[in-house]
Amino acid sequence: MAVTAVLVATLVATTAALLLKPVVERAVRARIEAAAMRHGMVARIGSVHVGLWPLLRLDAFDLDLGHGARLRADRVAVTWPGRLRVTVRSAALTGPADLTLNVPTSAWNVSNSQGKELKLELVKPQHGLSVSRRKDAVGSTWIIEASRLDVGRLVDLRRDDHPLLQGGIAQGRVDLLDSAAALRFRVNMDVRDVRFGGLAEGASEVPRPGSPTNIALHFDGAWLRDHDTLDIPAIRATVAGADLSGSLALRDLDADPAVDLDLGVQQLDFGLLLAASGLEVPEALGMKPGTRRDLGLATIDLAVQGRLKEPASLSVTQKIGFKPPGTMPPGIARLRGDFEFSAQAGSGSQRAIHVSPSSPDFIALQEIPPLFTRTLLLAEDSSFYGHRGIDLRELPSALLTNWSRGGAARGASTISQQLAKNLFLSRDKQFGRKLQELAITFLLESALGKQRILEIYLNIIEWGPDLRGLRPAALHYFRREPAALTPAQMAFLVAIIPGPIKYQSSFSNGSPGPGLRQLIDDLLGKLRSVDAIGEEEYQRALREPITLARKDSDPPPAN
């Protein structure tokens, strides 16, 4: 009789569980979705299963975190192998700029899940990471601790499907205090022997990782919800031997964001930085492989203040210093005298440009009309004679403008940086090429000085298909020597510098189209605004038809 009663009770319980299973699964789904919504997120779950093993399983879990970030997992399972355990299979956190953080499979032991305290301890694929939470009257305190954590075994960070991070042993902790008024945080984390993936974009091969380096990151701050403000009063970091310090405040983020940033970089060793980033020292610098690549040390102090919705209103101040290497790379030193530049021709072949007075195409700086130089600097680098090769004052505005327009709407490269690209870097689009460019730019400024940089620049830059240098460009387009160019013709040549190939279609009929003509007139307006030309000359230039010479035509009449 007793056995029968037990069997009946078991049958009833099993039947009740089967009948209630759909109800419980719907309740679990609703609770997860509601919890996500309370925190401004959207949760989507392919299917919810409740049972004896696993106790709970979520398939195709998708959490939209907002601001372009999303967390996905193939499966989340809750089991009881003697204690509560959560296993997450094939999780991926995606964010802006094609960044993806992958965690193939991880398992966490959970304790004190029903009380005011909660603790998760990583058990697979390794130990060394814990997350704990404690609730009180003020809010919740979260502590994330890493102890000899092999980062490479746990996560795979990629950009554009290329690995950005390999290996690294992490030690430290992150403290978060979450209350109604604010989210306060403190980060103290060190990672040794980490390797960054090569900073390449659109490469045909997987970039090679950089040399092992150490990272230290220490800062604290708060997100003040009532004031809509992020405040980080002190940041200290070490990356690839360089010491970084500064502060950051962002206010009115939901309305009209305002930024107040101070950043200082000391002992920026470009040789170490390139090696740690997986970037080669360009062969054209002539430095011996396998030797210590001394590219000099830079110090940078930058301050940015203003409204992010109005890039032109940003106030940017900078202080830049550079200590050149003991021995200048041979590829830089040779530029002090006559040299031969190998330019890529339209057919893919190489063409030699002789930067020497012995070449009929060469033009010395003193032969260049001062008005042409003034036009060039107004358009390409107005602070050329006042900076140390890079001008960070234009960088925040350029980045924000590009971001708002969804592409490369404008740049912030100085003439020295443009020269570095032309002389030493390929045309391949590379995310990390900017680091190579900066290193070379400092070397050029240190070894050559402004006048020589400008002279070389005007003798090698591209002005059209297989067309290099100012003198050939003036003769090609106007059948004139540079000294005989009119202000409007000078403005034309300067206006097409950013896209000498792209703009060819804008004057294929022998004169600039409306868009290009507007750029030319804007340049003339800048010349007038700084009194580089008088009012009468300005008006005459606006009226002047710009007629381009053809191969079979006579030179255009002189004005």
Side-chain angles (χ1 to χ4, degrees):
M1 193 71 179
V3 173
T4 302
V6 170
L7 291 174
V8 170
T10 301
L11 180 61
V12 170
T14 303
T15 303
L18 291 173
L19 292 174
L20 291 175
K21 185 175 184 291
V23 176
V24 174
E25 289 174 347
R26 285 195 297 270
V28 170
R29 180 191 294 271
R31 185 167 183 178
I32 293 173
E33 292 174 347
M37 190 173 295
R38 286 196 303 271
H39 291 84
M41 298 178 286
V42 178
R44 300 179 182 87
I45 308 170
S47 60
V48 178
H49 300 274
V50 175
L52 295 178
W53 191 273
L55 302 175
L56 174 65
R57 191 182 80 222
L58 309 178
D59 290 328
F61 180 77
D62 188 331
L63 184 61
D64 189 339
L65 304 173
H67 304 289
R70 184 181 294 270
L71 176 63
R72 295 185 177 92
D74 286 355
R75 176 170 295 178
V76 179
V78 180
T79 58
W80 182 273
R83 62 187 305 178
L84 196 63
R85 177 171 293 179
V86 176
T87 301
V88 182
R89 190 178 74 184
S90 299
L93 175 63
T94 58
D98 295 322
L99 286 172
T100 304
L101 184 69
N102 297 300
V103 182
T105 299
S106 62
W108 304 75
N109 284 341
V110 183
S111 56
N112 300 323
S113 58
Q114 299 300 318
K116 293 184 177 181
E117 294 187 1
L118 168 69
K119 188 170 185 178
L120 292 85
E121 296 178 282
L122 182 68
V123 292
K124 289 182 179 179
Q126 62 178 311
H127 295 269
L129 181 64
S130 67
V131 180
S132 60
R133 185 202 66 191
R134 184 178 67 253
K135 286 185 176 181
D136 56 28
V138 176
S140 298
T141 299
W142 293 82
I143 299 175
I144 304 169
E145 292 186 280
S147 177
R148 297 187 296 277
L149 177 70
D150 189 338
V151 180
R153 291 184 60 193
L154 179 62
V155 298
D156 176 28
L157 179 63
R158 292 176 175 264
R159 181 181 185 273
D160 193 26
D161 204 32
H162 289 156
L164 284 185
L165 196 68
Q166 296 186 18
I169 305 299
Q171 185 81 25
R173 62 184 277 172
V174 177
D175 294 76
L176 303 171
L177 176 58
D178 190 9
S179 66
L183 173 65
R184 303 185 183 278
F185 48 84
R186 175 173 294 172
V187 176
N188 290 284
M189 191 67 64
D190 296 274
V191 185
R192 59 179 175 82
D193 296 332
V194 63
R195 303 183 73 182
F196 294 107
L199 299 180
E201 186 174 273
S204 57
E205 298 180 357
V206 177
R208 69 178 184 85
S211 303
T213 190
N214 298 333
I215 301 173
L217 187 60
H218 307 278
F219 64 89
D220 53 25
W223 163 246
L224 305 175
R225 294 189 173 95
D226 293 343
H227 298 87
D228 200 17
T229 296
L230 174 66
D231 187 21
I232 306 178
I235 304 170
R236 302 184 312 279
T238 302
V239 180
D243 294 323
L244 288 74
S245 61
S247 63
L248 172 66
L250 293 170
R251 300 179 178 85
D252 304 325
L253 284 176
D254 286 338
D256 187 8
V259 61
D260 189 346
L261 168 70
D262 282 293
L263 177 65
V265 183
Q266 304 292 322
Q267 299 297 310
L268 178 58
D269 186 321
F270 283 107
L272 289 178
L273 184 60
L274 293 183
S277 303
L279 296 168
E280 297 285 353
V281 173
E283 290 183 9
L285 286 179
M287 305 184 77
K288 293 181 180 179
T291 61
R292 167 76 170 92
R293 307 295 184 90
D294 185 1
L295 300 177
L297 298 172
T299 60
I300 301 173
D301 290 293
L302 176 69
V304 181
Q305 293 180 321
R307 295 283 176 179
L308 297 182
K309 288 186 177 180
E310 303 172 21
S313 71
L314 291 173
S315 170
V316 183
T317 58
Q318 65 178 8
K319 183 180 179 182
I320 298 174
F322 181 68
K323 181 182 178 183
T327 302
M328 196 61 65
I332 297 289
R334 75 185 182 97
L335 303 177
R336 293 170 173 148
D338 299 349
F339 69 96
E340 185 178 284
F341 168 59
S342 181
Q344 183 174 338
S347 61
S349 59
Q350 298 294 311
R351 172 174 161 239
I353 305 293
H354 298 279
V355 184
S356 166
S358 63
S359 170
D361 291 337
F362 179 81
I363 183 168
L365 190 61
Q366 57 268 27
E367 298 179 63
I368 297 171
L371 183 61
F372 184 91
T373 303
R374 192 73 181 275
T375 308
L376 172 71
L377 297 185
L378 280 173
E380 292 295 306
D381 191 351
S382 60
S383 302
F384 177 69
Y385 285 105
H387 59 62
R388 297 292 301 270
I390 65 173
D391 191 357
L392 299 176
R393 289 171 294 187
E394 290 292 322
L395 185 60
S397 179
L399 291 175
L400 290 172
T401 302
N402 292 350
W403 180 271
S404 65
R405 297 183 185 180
R410 54 169 292 184
S413 292
T414 65
I415 282 176
S416 302
Q417 288 173 263
Q418 293 177 45
L419 183 61
K421 281 189 289 188
N422 274 278
L423 287 175
F424 296 103
L425 300 174
S426 71
R427 294 185 180 184
D428 295 338
K429 186 180 180 183
Q430 286 192 334
F431 181 74
R433 192 177 70 173
K434 208 67 177 177
L435 293 180
Q436 296 170 314
E437 177 188 303
L438 292 179
I440 296 168
T441 297
F442 280 116
L443 293 171
L444 290 175
E445 286 272 336
S446 178
L448 305 181
K450 298 293 186 181
Q451 300 296 85
R452 180 59 173 166
I453 285 174
L454 195 57
E455 184 175 71
I456 296 175
Y457 177 85
L458 287 171
N459 277 280
I460 72 161
I461 64 167
E462 193 173 34
W463 254 294
D466 296 333
L467 184 62
R468 295 268 181 171
L470 174 58
R471 173 164 278 146
L475 293 170
H476 174 82
Y477 289 116
F478 300 111
R479 298 292 187 265
R480 293 183 175 185
E481 285 288 334
L485 294 171
T486 68
Q489 291 168 343
M490 293 180 186
F492 168 85
L493 289 175
V494 170
I496 67 173
I497 286 176
I501 306 300
K502 177 184 70 174
Y503 282 126
Q504 295 294 310
S505 61
S506 299
F507 50 82
S508 58
N509 64 351
S511 61
L516 180 55
R517 181 70 210 212
Q518 186 60 55
L519 291 177
I520 294 167
D521 291 347
D522 289 345
L523 261 178
L524 293 170
K526 289 182 178 181
L527 289 171
R528 178 68 190 99
S529 69
V530 296
D531 290 325
I533 56 176
E535 182 63 26
E536 182 179 346
E537 192 175 18
Y538 170 58
Q539 293 298 332
R540 186 166 60 249
L542 291 178
R543 295 190 301 268
E544 177 188 335
I546 300 176
T547 304
L548 303 174
R550 298 184 183 276
K551 290 182 179 180
D552 56 351
S553 68
D554 294 327
N559 289 359

